[in-house]
């Protein structure tokens, strides 16, 4: 089995490699190719990847290349983990929206739109090269904003499934609190990428006992602290929102906080510098502890599980993925991309039935879906008016003066990445 990681020079990659090594019975990789245009980073990450495989007696071959065509040739699955513009672009995404009094964040709001505009055309070009090299290959998208990028891939006819680590993070967290194996925990996970709620936590499968009320009663303070939301909010809602909902539920508070401290991008850039120095140490043969602070917890387990299921080698029968709605949420178009529990196999991902969604959540999901429609249109066709309309539609913007100012800033900070600008 050959698997290719595009963006293989990322500091995330050793987390992925560690999972591939530990879970080789689930996903028996014979060849792993890391593709990245940054040759210096690729050499460091590739060297550590080989040492991790060697330490764990994995017999798979690891190769590195900057040649995308060579890297994807013959691949059974291609995993995309790109950051177009690097941490420098992320730094901008997290700062210029604050000038207009809006949240600066890399995946949602104005910063998330900027990332989508930079990313979608690049991802579609890569996907076309994958299709030419091997039309049967699966594309697993971990590139943010996952919902918009996955929708672009699916609308272009690619065999694609989107992946995020939020759900598996909750699964592992709840399993630890309950004292059960993660495989025993089934989430009623509903919404869009980075806009989801856990409405039930079931033990043993989709029909199992819902223990969410017990979790909130016994561990509500700890869960609320992780989300940085007040405990009474969780008690009143009776659900566990993703931590991204804080940008919506406490927008003004978050804006004030972000204006008083260094950006997350600056923190990550410093961390990446330190990680790359570690990766260059020939004695290092495991992922360093610092990598846990980089983000992407349980990313490798999620990626292995999804790839194994898509390629017919195993994996969990039910997984939270990003895929076409296809009637699952009746208030959304069929071609909206939702994040949901799905039956995953060689056929792809088929969403499981979802109980009716409370208007409190359905209204926000519908609003953000409309924004994503407009964001994808702007990413595919360009133009200032399309950018403005997408921003005006976003619930974290929503006022024409803000949308105007943010549009000007977005274009000014991203001109080199926007062919139409």
């Amino acid at each position: 089995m050959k698997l290719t990681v595009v963006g293989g020079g990322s500091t995330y990659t050793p987390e992925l490699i560690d999972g591939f090594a530990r879970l080789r019975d689930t996903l028996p990789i014979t060849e792993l190719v890391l593709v990245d245009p940054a040759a210096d980073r690729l050499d460091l990450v590739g060297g550590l990847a080989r040492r991790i495989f060697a330490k764990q007696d994995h017999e798979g071959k690891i190769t590195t290349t900057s040649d995308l065509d060579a890297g994807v040739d013959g691949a059974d699955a291609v995993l995309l983990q790109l950051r177009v513009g690097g941490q420098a672009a992320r730094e901008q995404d997290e700062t210029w929206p604050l000038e207009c009094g809006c949240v600066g964040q890399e995946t949602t709001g104005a910063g998330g739109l900027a990332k989508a505009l930079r990313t979608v055309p690049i991802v579609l070009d890569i996907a076309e090269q994958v299709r030419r090299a091997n039309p049967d290959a699966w594309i697993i998208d971990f590139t943010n904003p996952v919902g918009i990028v996955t929708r672009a891939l699916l609308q272009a006819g690619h065999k694609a499934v989107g992946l995020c680590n939020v759900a598996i993070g909750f699964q592992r967290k709840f399993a630890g609190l309950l004292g059960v194996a993660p495989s025993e925990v089934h989430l009623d996970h509903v919404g869009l990428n980075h806009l989801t709620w856990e409405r039930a936590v079931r033990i043993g499968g989709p029909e199992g006992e819902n223990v969410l009320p017990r979790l909130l009663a016994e561990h509500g303070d700890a869960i609320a602290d992780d989300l940085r939301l007040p405990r009474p909010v969780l008690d009143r809602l009776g659900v566990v929102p993703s931590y991204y909902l804080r940008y919506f539920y406490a927008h003004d508070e978050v804006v004030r906080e972000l204006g008083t401290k260094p950006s997350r991008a600056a923190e990550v850039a410093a961390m990446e510098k330190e990680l790359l120095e570690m990766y260059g140490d020939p004695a290092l043969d495991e992922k360093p502890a610092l990598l846990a602070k980089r983000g992407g917890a349980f990313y490798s387990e999620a990626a292995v599980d999804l790839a194994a299921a898509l390629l017919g080698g195993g994996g969990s029968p039910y997984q939270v993925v990003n895929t076409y709605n296809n009637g699952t949420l009746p208030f959304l178009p069929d071609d909206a991309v939702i994040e949901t529990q799905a039956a995953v196999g060689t056929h792809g991902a088929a969403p499981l039935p979802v109980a009716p969604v409370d208007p409190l959540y359905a209204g926000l999901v519908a609003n953000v879906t409309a924004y994503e429609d407009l964001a994808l249109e702007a990413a595919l066709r360009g133009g200032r008016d399309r950018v403005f309309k997408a921003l005006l539609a976003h619930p974290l913007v929503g006022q024409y003066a803000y949308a105007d100012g943010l549009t000007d800033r977005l274009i000014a900070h991203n001109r080199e990445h926007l062919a139409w600008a």
Side-chain angles (χ1 to χ4, degrees), residues 172-180 214-215 218-220 222-223 226:
R172 298 302 199 266
K173 173 74 173 179
F174 296 155
L177 293 174
L178 293 165
V180 300
R214 175 157 62 94
L215 272 172
E218 297 177 0
H219 304 286
I223 295 170
D226 282 349

Side-chain angles (χ1 to χ4, degrees), residues 324-340:
Y324 271 151
N325 178 45
N326 281 338
T328 307
L329 301 181
F331 56 89
L332 296 183
D334 285 349
D335 65 350
V337 165
I338 62 173
E339 188 168 287
T340 188

Side-chain angles (χ1 to χ4, degrees), residues 8-10 36-47 64 66 276 279-280:
S10 168
D36 203 294
D40 52 344
R41 293 170 62 109
L42 194 57
D43 287 343
L44 295 173
V45 173
T64 60
S66 297
L276 289 170
Y279 296 171

